[in-house]
Amino acid sequence: NMSNPTTKEEAAYQAIRSAIIDGELKPGQSVTIRDLASRFDLGRTPITDAMKHLALDGWLETTTGVGTRVANLNLADRFSYMQVRGAIEALAVRLCAENVTQEDLLALDHCLAVAKLAIDSGNLVRAIEADIDFHRLCAKCSKNRFLYQFYDRLLTQDELVFFRNVSDADIRIQSHEQHAAIVEAIRSGDPQRAEEASRYHTQTILDRLRSEENHS
């Protein structure tokens, strides 16, 4: 059965990734195949394959002769990352406003509703997932497959970047309101306003990262 090894590798990938998100495995912590295999009660092969995959996606860092550790993420990295992400998002929503269909709008509205529900019920991890889903959806609705593929790849880094500051409800509310403004601009078919709303959203995040950096 060919599908079995992949399933075990996927299980290992998800388990290790969840442990990093939950903070059970800390940034900078050394991890070995043996430790992880016993911790998650999985074989060495799926763990080895999962670790390669996690290193590729930026969750783990492997140094030759030193070993593997949970990736450290500094604020400067988050800032640089957000600059690139923001530039792509501005283009994505501009294209959305030019190409939007009724179906796209329904999907965007649904995405906002899910986020609102998560925020109102205090489920901030779910709210962050909905935030990421929103931006992925904007990229998809741009109808530019190169933009979407590139953006999708970029977003694998996002969980890394943003699950680390989960606890702030005000940030979630502010973010949600800015997303709603982006959707309104898309709905009205105004590419310029959509792009401006998107740039404003990115700027808010960059300003916040800058002030975190000054306080750290």
Side-chain angles (χ1 to χ4, degrees), residues 108-131 169 172-173 175-177 179-180:
L108 287 164
D109 284 339
H110 176 71
C111 206
L112 289 175
V114 170
K116 181 89 172 74
L117 200 64
I119 293 164
D120 290 348
S121 63
N123 185 345
L124 297 184
V125 170
R126 184 71 198 92
I128 288 180
E129 285 170 352
D131 189 319
R172 293 293 109 225
I173 293 164
S175 189
H176 177 72
E177 285 167 357
H179 289 174

Side-chain angles (χ1 to χ4, degrees), residues 28-212:
Q29 185 177 335
S30 289
V31 289
T32 65
I33 295 165
R34 181 187 288 154
D35 289 346
L36 295 176
S38 72
R39 177 194 276 257
F40 299 112
D41 199 22
L42 285 158
R44 294 174 73 104
T45 306
I47 290 285
T48 306
D49 294 340
M51 282 172 75
K52 282 183 191 142
H53 193 161
L54 286 156
L56 199 65
D57 285 345
W59 294 90
L60 298 176
E61 288 165 352
T62 303
T63 314
T64 316
V66 178
T68 301
R69 57 185 65 241
V70 178
N72 274 308
L73 238 217
N74 61 42
L75 282 161
D77 280 351
R78 286 164 60 185
F79 195 87
S80 309
Y81 165 83
M82 223 27 244
Q83 285 178 313
V84 175
R85 217 191 92 178
I88 296 167
E89 283 171 1
L91 175 60
V93 302
R94 167 174 276 282
L95 295 172
C96 282
E98 289 170 7
N99 302 310
V100 75
T101 65
Q102 212 43 50
E103 206 179 348
D104 294 338
L105 286 170
L106 282 172
L108 287 164
D109 284 339
H110 176 71
C111 206
L112 289 175
V114 170
K116 181 89 172 74
L117 200 64
I119 293 164
D120 290 348
S121 63
N123 185 345
L124 297 184
V125 170
R126 184 71 198 92
I128 288 180
E129 285 170 352
D131 189 319
I132 295 169
D133 288 345
F134 172 78
H135 289 293
R136 183 176 271 120
L137 188 58
C138 285
K140 206 172 189 171
C141 294
S142 76
K143 313 285 195 289
N144 181 320
R145 76 185 173 89
F146 298 104
L147 184 150
Y148 182 67
Q149 283 165 359
F150 185 73
Y151 193 68
D152 199 48
R153 188 82 193 85
L154 201 59
L155 277 185
T156 58
Q157 297 294 308
D158 199 77
E159 301 175 314
L160 255 173
V161 176
F162 288 100
F163 274 113
R164 300 265 167 88
N165 61 350
V166 130
S167 58
D168 198 328
D170 291 340
I171 290 176
R172 293 293 109 225
I173 293 164
Q174 183 185 47
S175 189
H176 177 72
E177 285 167 357
Q178 291 176 356
H179 289 174
I182 291 168
V183 173
E184 281 319 301
I186 292 170
R187 195 189 315 278
S188 67
D190 187 335
Q192 187 60 37
R193 189 156 65 101
E195 184 177 331
E196 280 163 14
S198 182
R199 288 191 186 283
Y200 177 71
H201 178 49
T202 300
Q203 198 51 53
T204 306
I205 297 169
L206 290 173
D207 290 345
R208 185 167 68 242
L209 290 173
R210 196 175 272 128
S211 72
E212 278 179 34

